[in-house]
Amino acid sequence: MTDAAKKGNTMRTRILALVAAAVASVPVLAATASAAPADLNAPYARAAAKVGGDGTLLAAKNVSSAERLAGRPAGYYCVAVSDPTIDLRDAAVVATVNNNRSMITAIPNSNCNGKTRTITVVTANYHNDPADVPFTVAVL
């Protein structure tokens, strides 16, 4: 075998090893994406959530779930408070978008698809068109 052929075989072996390593790492990366939400540092809030534009619950304090409402226009979310001692009827609820070119409305004690103790969050872009936008909501 010539030196050029040996170098070609060595290069192919290295490429195959890199491809195999990349393919093997895909399940590990996918598992990481579905991990539980992080704890949200909100010492003065009774409940709080940081939610991605797709409805993913990124971080939480006394919040059991967040979801983008299926069958609704863009920008409709449901955030479920897990602490049964929090009465949303008398709570101050504050919400903010995680970028500066959008608008947000939070409706406490709503009924999101049959769930109780929830907050409906509606987001819109700068032109007031419904849009999926990341946000943070807190129950004070």
Side-chain angles (χ1 to χ4, degrees):
M1 186 177 277
T2 67
D3 284 339
K6 288 179 184 176
K7 286 183 181 179
N9 283 341
T10 302
M11 183 61 79
R12 278 196 255 348
T13 302
R14 287 181 183 167
I15 290 172
L16 288 173
L18 288 172
V19 169
V23 170
S25 69
V26 169
V28 173
L29 294 175
T32 303
S34 62
D39 289 336
L40 188 60
N41 183 10
Y44 302 107
R46 293 185 289 159
K50 185 173 184 179
V51 180
D54 63 353
T56 302
L57 184 59
L58 303 173
K61 175 183 179 180
N62 292 329
V63 169
S64 58
S65 67
E67 64 182 309
R68 165 86 172 64
L69 290 175
R72 299 296 303 249
Y76 280 78
Y77 303 90
C78 182
V79 177
V81 175
S82 59
D83 185 340
T85 66
I86 297 173
D87 186 353
L88 291 174
R89 294 175 296 180
D90 298 322
V93 176
V94 180
T96 184
V97 293
N98 292 348
N99 64 42
N100 62 356
R101 304 286 292 171
S102 301
M103 295 174 263
I104 191 165
T105 302
I107 307 159
N109 204 37
S110 62
N111 184 338
C112 295
N113 291 341
K115 294 180 183 177
T116 56
R117 279 199 329 273
T118 58
I119 302 164
T120 300
V121 177
V122 181
T123 58
N125 64 19
Y126 185 72
H127 301 289
N128 204 27
D129 298 320
D132 291 335
V133 176
F135 63 90
T136 302
V137 61
V139 179
L140 307 178

